[in-house]
Amino acid sequence: MRKIPGISGPDHIQTKQLRIARLAKESPERVLTSLAHYIDEFWMYEAYRRTKKGKATGVDGMTAKEFEQDLMGNLKDLVEKLKSGSYKAPPVRRIYLDKPGGGERPIGIPTFSDKVMQRAVTMLLEPIYEQDFHDFSYGSRPQRSAHQAISAMRDQLWYQGGCWVVEIDISGFFDAIDHGKLRDVLDNRVRDGVLRRTIDKWLRAGVMEGECFSRPENGTPQGGVVSPLLANIFLHEVMDNWFVKEVRPRMGKAARMVRYADDILMFFESYEAAKKVLEVTQKRFKKYGLEIHPKKSKITDFRKPVGRKQPKKSHEHSKTFDFLGFTFYWGIGRKGFWALKCKTRKKSFQSGLKNISAWCEKHRHFKVQWQHQKLSEKLRGHYGYFGRIGNLNAMSHFRWEVVRVWKYWLNRRSQQRHMQWAKFQECLEKNPLPVPKITIR
């Protein structure tokens, strides 16, 4: 990233954000009405610096490189349009990507300038709501990750010795958020006219699919930088605050919760409490225009099994639940005691393998050395996320399946049909795929 003369570094922006955070923390009940003045050319430049420079373009066709050709002029223009209220949020360009298992996945692509503007507003809202968010919320927050959510969940289960787990799945959450309800939630904390008008423009921007334009009545901006934060703010009011103020006081300290974006787990000591809260949660969500998926939302008896040892055929307890790509279960540890364990979720395993198979099919005619390099990167990425302690067997199995898939598609090349395992083994010795490693304990 080139240095722009006269533009201060991120430390200057961080000082402003700390000032905003201090104001929000000192007055948790205060509604903030004057915030847009913090956004100037320096702020907008930092927003540009933090914006990903992907090749995909929005409806205007402008790339990040083209935007950078008159960088300061474009940034000044964005600031002026924001302050004057003349900024017009362009529609999001929708494309479809093939799913490995069949079907298509819709993807929204905003224009690059819109990404920068959304990043600037996100940088302003984050310091405010970070003072309000609860510790059990982990998704789409600075310095927080999915593995921190998993570790917090494991600690809670281990501390309680197991419990009744309530899994909440929200049907089409990001597309179901009611705009009117979201505005009401934002009113509780931020009423700056400039920011609120800009957010409203994003909510009404619509979607461009080919030559067809549509304007969804619900949902956060598709593919937008600000979308995860708005969704988090909405669920903070709908779920988190309600759980802390209404559920926990009635259920006692045993009632706990962990949330990562729209993946929600609640823990209770009794089935009756879990069932009652699940029923009330459905009513709560309905009030805000959300629906709980009837099949994916469930109660699991995840209490620690009684007894020290079990027969070898029953080394794994039958009751399990899924969270963030892992399946959690009670299993026998090395010392013969029941221990909380995890493995790659079956659906995540199959999805990851289908992605690699589709990639191998598409690139089977490329040089083997290049394929080896890219496959190694994909495997290291898989190990980086799923490399939790206790999951070594699942990762080893995944690597073995990747080897089989790679051989299959190399065998489909016209010049290498009917390649035997001995010949492929020689190829593997020259181009060894990385072995799994435990990276998270």
Side-chain angles (χ1 to χ4, degrees):
M1 181 69 64
R2 63 189 180 92
K3 177 73 174 178
I4 303 297
I7 292 292
S8 56
D11 291 342
H12 173 71
I13 305 302
Q14 187 177 16
T15 301
K16 285 186 175 183
Q17 289 180 316
L18 288 173
R19 191 182 307 154
I20 298 169
R22 191 181 304 113
L23 178 64
K25 187 174 183 179
E26 291 174 352
S27 307
E29 302 297 328
R30 180 179 177 181
V31 177
L32 303 176
T33 58
S34 179
L35 293 168
H37 64 276
Y38 285 103
I39 299 180
D40 52 20
E41 294 172 27
F42 309 113
W43 188 285
M44 197 66 74
Y45 175 77
E46 181 62 17
Y48 158 79
R49 195 183 69 84
R50 297 185 188 184
T51 302
K52 293 182 179 180
K53 315 300 190 296
K55 295 182 179 179
T57 60
V59 294
D60 63 353
M62 178 179 285
T63 64
K65 288 186 177 180
E66 292 172 340
F67 185 90
E68 191 176 349
Q69 290 177 1
D70 185 19
L71 180 59
M72 295 313 302
N74 288 327
L75 295 180
K76 289 180 181 179
D77 185 56
L78 287 178
V79 173
E80 290 174 1
K81 287 181 177 180
L82 174 72
K83 299 291 182 68
S84 65
S86 61
Y87 181 75
K88 295 182 180 180
V92 174
R93 184 170 72 92
R94 177 182 287 171
I95 62 173
Y96 291 87
L97 300 180
D98 293 333
K99 291 183 178 180
E104 295 180 320
R105 178 186 293 110
I107 301 293
I109 305 176
T111 64
F112 184 77
S113 60
D114 200 46
K115 290 180 184 178
V116 175
M117 182 70 84
Q118 290 193 33
R119 177 63 67 185
V121 173
T122 300
M123 287 164 51
L124 192 56
L125 294 178
E126 270 183 353
I128 301 170
Y129 285 98
E130 276 298 310
Q131 314 311 310
D132 299 342
F133 290 155
H134 297 287
D135 288 339
F136 54 74
S137 169
Y138 291 88
S140 305
R141 294 181 60 185
Q143 311 301 321
R144 294 204 165 208
S145 68
H147 283 291
Q148 288 179 325
I150 292 172
S151 296
M153 179 271 297
R154 287 174 62 95
D155 292 343
Q156 181 57 38
L157 286 174
W158 185 253
Y159 173 77
Q160 290 188 250
C163 57
W164 293 86
V165 178
V166 178
E167 300 175 65
I168 300 293
D169 185 275
I170 306 174
S171 299
F173 170 63
F174 288 94
D175 295 328
I177 295 178
D178 184 280
H179 291 171
K181 300 292 185 181
L182 176 60
R183 293 186 184 98
D184 292 340
V185 171
L186 291 171
D187 281 342
N188 296 332
R189 201 64 163 116
V190 176
R191 294 185 189 173
D192 180 282
V194 173
L195 293 184
R196 293 298 302 276
R197 283 193 297 270
T198 305
I199 293 174
D200 283 346
K201 290 175 182 178
W202 285 323
L203 295 177
R204 299 193 304 265
V207 175
M208 183 68 72
E209 188 173 342
E211 300 296 328
C212 299
F213 174 80
S214 62
R215 199 187 300 276
E217 297 181 359
N218 296 323
T220 53
Q222 290 195 4
V225 176
V226 75
S227 181
L229 178 59
L230 293 178
N232 221 14
I233 293 170
F234 192 67
L235 266 187
H236 168 73
E237 178 63 28
V238 176
M239 188 69 199
D240 300 358
N241 274 345
W242 170 73
F243 184 84
V244 170
K245 296 178 181 179
E246 301 293 336
V247 176
R248 187 178 288 172
R250 290 176 170 81
M251 299 296 168
K253 294 182 179 180
R256 302 286 180 178
M257 189 176 93
V258 173
R259 180 173 71 81
Y260 186 88
D262 59 333
D263 290 309
I264 304 170
L265 294 179
M266 293 185 287
F267 312 104
F268 302 95
E269 288 189 341
S270 68
Y271 172 76
E272 291 73 19
K275 183 180 179 181
K276 182 178 180 181
V277 172
L278 179 58
E279 293 173 351
V280 177
T281 303
Q282 291 175 326
K283 297 178 181 178
R284 172 75 177 180
F285 279 17
K286 190 174 182 179
K287 177 182 176 182
Y288 285 86
L290 301 176
E291 291 186 5
I292 291 180
H293 197 290
K295 294 183 179 179
K296 295 181 180 180
S297 300
K298 57 184 179 179
I299 301 174
T300 302
D301 181 2
F302 203 71
R303 292 173 295 177
K304 190 176 181 179
V306 179
R308 179 177 177 180
K309 292 184 177 181
Q310 293 288 324
K312 292 183 179 180
K313 293 183 179 180
S314 302
H315 68 282
E316 180 180 323
H317 193 49
S318 60
K319 300 296 184 180
T320 66
F321 70 91
D322 299 326
F323 186 56
L324 298 180
F326 291 89
T327 295
F328 295 89
Y329 62 95
W330 291 105
I332 297 297
R334 293 181 179 179
K335 296 183 179 180
F337 294 96
W338 287 106
L340 180 58
K341 296 189 174 185
C342 70
K343 59 184 178 182
T344 305
R345 184 186 178 191
K346 184 177 180 180
K347 186 176 180 180
S348 300
F349 187 101
Q350 294 174 343
S351 176
L353 195 60
K354 286 179 180 178
N355 281 325
I356 287 184
S357 180
W359 183 90
C360 287
E361 178 185 9
K362 183 178 180 180
H363 300 91
R364 65 186 182 275
H365 294 295
F366 285 60
K367 290 184 178 180
V368 172
Q369 291 79 6
W370 182 86
Q371 292 187 47
H372 164 257
Q373 178 186 351
K374 297 301 180 181
L375 278 176
S376 297
E377 293 174 0
K378 291 179 182 296
L379 277 174
R380 291 191 188 98
H382 182 87
Y383 301 156
Y385 184 80
F386 290 101
R388 295 192 69 93
I389 188 169
N391 196 35
L392 189 60
N393 288 340
M395 289 193 298
S396 298
H397 184 203
F398 186 82
R399 180 185 181 276
W400 168 246
E401 292 294 338
V402 169
V403 168
R404 293 179 68 252
V405 165
W406 193 23
K407 176 187 179 299
Y408 174 82
W409 287 113
L410 284 179
N411 203 24
R412 300 290 291 177
R413 306 206 302 189
S414 59
Q415 68 272 29
Q416 290 183 337
R417 287 193 180 274
H418 309 297
M419 186 197 323
Q420 300 300 320
W421 270 105
K423 185 176 180 181
F424 181 68
Q425 192 64 36
E426 294 178 5
C427 176
L428 276 181
E429 290 176 0
K430 294 179 181 179
N431 304 280
L433 293 174
V435 296
K437 293 182 179 180
I438 298 300
T439 57
I440 305 165
R441 298 184 180 274

